[in-house]
Structures are given as C-alpha cells and as structure tokens.
C-alpha cells in the first residue's frame, strides 16, 4: 500500500524521509540553480522536442497536482538531444505552484522563486514502459519551465479552462488535441543536472532539464490554479497550492549549461 504524503506541516517535505529515506539521498530534487556556478558544456546537443498533439489524452486531479497524460505507445511524442542519450517519450505534464505569486516553483535561480513551475515528464524507451523506467538512474527526463507573472498566457488558458471539471481529487476529464510545445519559451537554453522525482517515492531517476527562460502567466490565471482542491468531493475543501518541495542539498553535483 503506498504511504500517504502531502505538503502539510504534519505530512509534508520535512517528514517525507520517515517513510521515504531516499529523501536524504545524494541526488535529490529540486535544487537552487546558481548560474555563475553552472559549467558551460559545448558537448551538450540542442534539445529536440517533437510532440504530436493528437497524443494528449486526459487531465486528472491526482490530489497533489493536475496532470495531463499522453498516449505513449509509439515514438510520435519524443524528446532527444540535450544531455540525454536515446529517445524519451512524453508521459505527462503537471505543475507546482504557491499560495501567492511570491512562491511556488520547486527549482529556484539564485534563490529566486517563481509563482509556478511546469514539468514535462519523459521516460527512456530503453525500458519497456514508464513504470519500468520510473526507478532507473537514467529512466526519466523532465523539462522544467518557470512561469513568471506577466501577460495572460492564452495557451495555458486552454488547460485552466477545464479545471472546473477536475476541481476535486480523483476527478478527470478528456483533454484531446493539446500541444504542450506551445507551453515552451522561444529559447530552449537550459541547465541540466542529475536528480530525482520531487515527490514521493523520490526515485533518483531524473535527468533534469530546466529551461532558463520563463513563460508568462497572469496573476488572475494563478488564482485559477488555486481553485483546485487537494481534497476529494464531499471532504472539507483544502485549496491546492504550495504543492512544491523546497530546494535540496546539491551534495557536490555539477550543473551544466548549454549556453554561455
Ligand atoms: N515533480 S516530478 O516531475 O519530479 C514527478 C514526481 C513524481 C512522479 N510520480 C510519482 C509516482 C510514481 C509512482 C507513484 O507515484 C512523477 N511522475 O510520475 O512523472 C513526476
Ligand atoms: Zn513535478
């Protein structure tokens, strides 16, 4: 039976090590990225992102975040290049956000928190499927995208518009024909390091690819994220926000950049 965890004082990030001791492991995520300490690596290839919007399937409130899930039974929606070897298939994307516009991202940059962070999760096709890849040291590649308060983001609004159907934990609805490439900034400059899932089971299986440039989100749009609930229908409602893990010790890891 999977142990229940959350982001509260009683069961939140400071307590996760009690049931998931890898929380104190050598390659935990997120981290604070210090650009001046990142090493430019000219051997890093450009990121190659090929997404087929027809592969988007549904959107779910899983009680920790919302997630948009993709059909991943072929190589039509893949990530190659960058720091990774081989082909990784997009499985899902989700976000982490704060209770205010002053916090919410998991990674920070020189200690700066963004109001939201988008994660696009890909799995290594050297493994049979996502679940096989989940706990392998080279199993996953997650693209992290910061969201910065500015003008409203019409592409993101397509996701927010269906939140009414997934307000409570366990609710899901179809979400066809969505191209997550439209949620990426113009520049694919990135930092990369070896890390982990940022929620339990905290497997140290993620090659992180954090984009330097943010995409925009309006404050009004951020208020829509916070209308989702951590709780199931019929329970005392708890607003879904502050669903982020704070930065973890770097423990000697190197962060590389594909830009100067
Ligand atoms: N914030 S993240 O991108 O690092 C992240 C965290 C957890 C999980 N999964 C948690 C899990 C696995 C098995 C049971 O439950 C995923 N994911 O599955 O893509 C991604
Ligand atoms: Zn995440």
């Amino acid at each position: 039976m999977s142990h229940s965890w959350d982001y509260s004082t009683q069961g939140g990030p400071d307590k996760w090590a009690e049931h998931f001791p890898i929380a104190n492991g050598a390659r935990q995520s997120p981290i604070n990225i210090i650009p001046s300490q990142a090493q430019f690596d000219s051997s890093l290839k450009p990121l190659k992102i090929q997404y087929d919007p027809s592969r988007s399937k549904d959107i779910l409130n899983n009680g920790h975040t919302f997630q948009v899930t993709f059909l991943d039974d072929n190589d039509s929606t893949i990530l190659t290049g960058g720091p990774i070897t081989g082909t990784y298939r997009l499985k899902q994307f989700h976000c982490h956000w704060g209770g205010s516009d002053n916090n919410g991202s998991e990674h920070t940059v020189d200690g700066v928190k963004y109001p939201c962070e988008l994660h696009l999760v890909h799995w290594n096709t050297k493994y049979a499927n996502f679940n096989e890849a989940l706990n392998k040291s080279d199993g996953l590649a997650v693209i992290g995208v910061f969201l910065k308060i500015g003008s409203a983001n019409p592409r993101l609004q397509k996701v927010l518009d269906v939140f009414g159907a997934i307000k409570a934990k366990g609710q899901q609805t179809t979400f066809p024909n969505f191209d997550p490439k439209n949620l990426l900034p113009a520049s694919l400059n990135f930092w990369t390091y070896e890390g982990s899932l940022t929620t339990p089971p905290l497997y140290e299986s993620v090659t992180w690819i954090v984009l330097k440039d943010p995409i925009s989100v309006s404050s009004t749009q951020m208020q829509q994220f916070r209308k989702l609930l951590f709780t199931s229908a019929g329970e005392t409602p708890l607003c879904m926000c502050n669903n982020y893990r704070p930065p973890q010790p770097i423990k000697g890891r190197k962060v590389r950049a594909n830009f100067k």
Side-chain angles (χ1 to χ4, degrees):
M1 185 187 85
S2 71
H3 181 267
S4 74
W5 56 270
D6 57 33
Y7 291 95
S8 74
T9 313
Q10 299 79 358
D14 293 345
K15 299 283 183 15
W16 289 352
E18 290 171 16
H19 293 276
F20 304 93
I22 200 170
N24 296 318
R27 56 174 280 192
Q28 289 289 293
S29 294
I31 60 168
N32 176 44
I33 294 169
I34 303 169
S36 62
Q37 294 179 9
Q39 288 179 326
F40 169 66
D41 182 346
S42 58
S43 74
L44 285 167
K45 297 177 180 59
L47 277 181
K48 189 169 181 185
I49 299 170
Q50 298 159 270
Y51 289 161
D52 173 355
S54 73
R55 311 292 285 168
S56 81
K57 205 168 52 173
D58 55 35
I59 186 169
L60 161 75
N61 176 332
N62 63 21
H64 306 298
T65 182
F66 72 88
Q67 77 175 51
V68 174
T69 305
F70 287 76
L71 278 172
D72 60 353
D73 57 359
N74 69 29
D75 275 349
S76 67
T77 299
I78 55 171
L79 171 66
T80 53
I84 59 177
T85 304
T87 300
Y88 287 61
R89 287 183 190 169
L90 178 66
K91 176 69 182 171
Q92 55 111 313
F93 71 80
H94 63 272
C95 288
H96 305 262
W97 59 92
S100 80
D101 290 350
N102 305 315
N103 65 334
S105 65
E106 300 209 293
H107 292 89
T108 56
V109 181
D110 278 337
V112 173
K113 296 177 180 138
Y114 288 87
C116 186
E117 184 173 334
L118 164 68
H119 290 158
L120 296 134
V121 183
H122 309 75
W123 58 273
N124 191 336
T125 57
K126 76 187 265 192
Y127 301 107
N129 56 51
F130 173 75
N131 282 318
E132 284 298 309
L134 203 51
N135 64 350
K136 307 297 189 291
S137 61
D138 60 351
L140 302 180
V142 182
I143 296 176
V145 185
F146 295 118
L147 279 69
K148 183 180 179 182
I149 299 296
S151 50
N153 188 321
R155 293 136 168 216
L156 180 65
Q157 191 59 43
K158 297 262 176 276
V159 180
L160 304 179
D161 282 344
V162 302
F163 277 8
I166 60 161
K167 190 174 172 66
K169 176 180 177 182
Q171 293 180 334
Q172 69 179 33
T173 190
T174 54
F175 195 66
N177 307 312
F178 182 79
D179 189 351
K181 200 156 181 175
N182 292 331
L183 294 178
L184 301 178
S187 167
L188 293 182
N189 282 343
F190 63 86
W191 294 289
T192 183
Y193 76 97
E194 298 302 296
S196 73
L197 299 177
T198 65
T199 75
L202 299 167
Y203 294 144
E204 296 187 330
S205 59
V206 182
T207 296
W208 277 97
I209 300 167
V210 180
L211 301 190
K212 172 176 67 69
D213 291 347
I215 59 169
S216 76
V217 64
S218 69
S219 199
T220 302
Q221 287 181 312
M222 283 313 308
Q223 289 168 7
Q224 294 170 56
F225 278 90
R226 303 181 192 115
K227 288 182 176 169
L228 292 175
L229 301 177
F230 280 132
T231 42
S232 304
E235 292 180 345
T236 308
L238 262 179
C239 115
M240 185 180 273
C241 61
N242 297 314
N243 56 350
Y244 64 93
R245 189 190 194 189
Q248 301 301 306
I250 191 77
K251 295 195 176 175
R253 286 174 285 178
K254 292 286 176 238
V255 177
R256 294 181 290 159
N258 76 328
F259 63 96
K260 286 184 179 165

